[in-house]
Amino acid sequence: MSPAVLVGRIGAEDLIPDPRETALRLGCPADTVASADACLKELREAVLCRYAACRLPVSHPAEGMTDLGFGVLPSFDLVKNLGDCREAFLLAVTLGAGVDRLLLRLSHLSPARHFITDALASAMAEAACDMAEAAVKGSLSCRPRYSPGYGDLPLSVQEPLLARLDASRRIGVTLGDALLMSPSKSITAIIGILP
């Protein structure tokens, strides 16, 4: 019997984009981010944040390989990140399709508002991932999350990871031919649980 998938929601009002993360994405000083309040208000109205996670056993069948039960993942960096973890969480988080629709609309109406809202949405997606990770791991000590596309972990890992979480049905996250997720403000990660 495969481990159950936990599904949850995070209220848009609870998602606070880190001002430093937002400023970094905007390429401006952190104290100027406050002027983005109108964009943030509009973004919050578009967000439907959901996540899916499950806890899986970890093994390393060969050098540079990690088996999480849904396939063997080729990555020396992931092996190093997981260290001596015997279990890990799979996590997928999304801000929802409403954010993509908002960004598309803004791209036609106002390049400046689009740029600011896109940066805010990226920072908000990171905040959502932090909150979902905290909800999933509870009091467990874990390694830093590691996502497909980091280091030598290929983006192709997205497909079996999302399939294992049944992310398309559970939280509406799909994968395109170029291995990019839709909705675009979505994040997947593997989080090693420390022994």
Side-chain angles (χ1 to χ4, degrees):
M1 183 172 173
S2 63
V5 174
L6 169 72
V7 177
R9 289 186 181 212
I10 301 170
E13 65 283 353
D14 296 324
L15 296 171
I16 314 285
D18 183 303
R20 290 169 300 191
E21 175 86 19
T22 304
L24 180 67
R25 292 177 184 278
L26 287 172
C28 67
D31 59 356
T32 63
V33 174
S35 64
D37 286 348
C39 292
L40 182 58
K41 181 180 183 296
E42 191 172 25
L43 174 61
R44 285 190 194 288
E45 292 170 1
V47 167
L48 175 58
C49 182
R50 296 179 290 172
Y51 63 89
C54 69
R55 186 172 177 167
L56 299 171
V58 173
S59 66
H60 303 288
E63 187 177 352
M65 301 293 209
T66 300
D67 188 346
L68 294 170
F70 62 86
V72 178
L73 312 180
S75 170
F76 287 94
D77 293 335
L78 180 61
V79 170
K80 184 177 177 181
N81 174 272
L82 292 174
D84 59 352
C85 296
R86 294 187 184 136
E87 291 182 290
F89 291 111
L90 291 188
L91 177 65
V93 180
T94 185
L95 295 185
V99 173
D100 283 358
R101 289 190 294 271
L102 172 63
L103 290 171
L104 179 61
R105 185 170 57 81
L106 290 177
S107 72
H108 298 296
L109 296 176
S110 170
R113 282 176 52 209
H114 174 266
F115 179 70
I116 292 168
T117 304
D118 185 62
L120 286 166
S122 294
M124 188 178 279
E126 287 294 332
C129 204
D130 290 344
M131 291 182 74
E133 179 181 347
V136 167
K137 72 181 187 182
S139 62
L140 294 172
S141 295
C142 294
R143 303 281 299 157
R145 62 181 177 253
Y146 203 83
S147 294
Y150 286 7
D152 66 351
L153 185 62
L155 275 177
S156 58
V157 169
Q158 298 280 42
E159 187 173 8
L161 190 156
L162 290 170
R164 174 59 188 89
L165 291 171
D166 194 13
S168 175
R169 186 177 67 81
R170 294 178 190 273
I171 62 172
V173 176
T174 60
L175 196 62
D177 292 338
L179 302 177
L180 297 177
M181 289 182 286
S182 179
S184 63
K185 300 306 179 185
S186 301
I187 297 172
T188 59
I190 299 164
I191 306 162
I193 302 168
L194 292 169

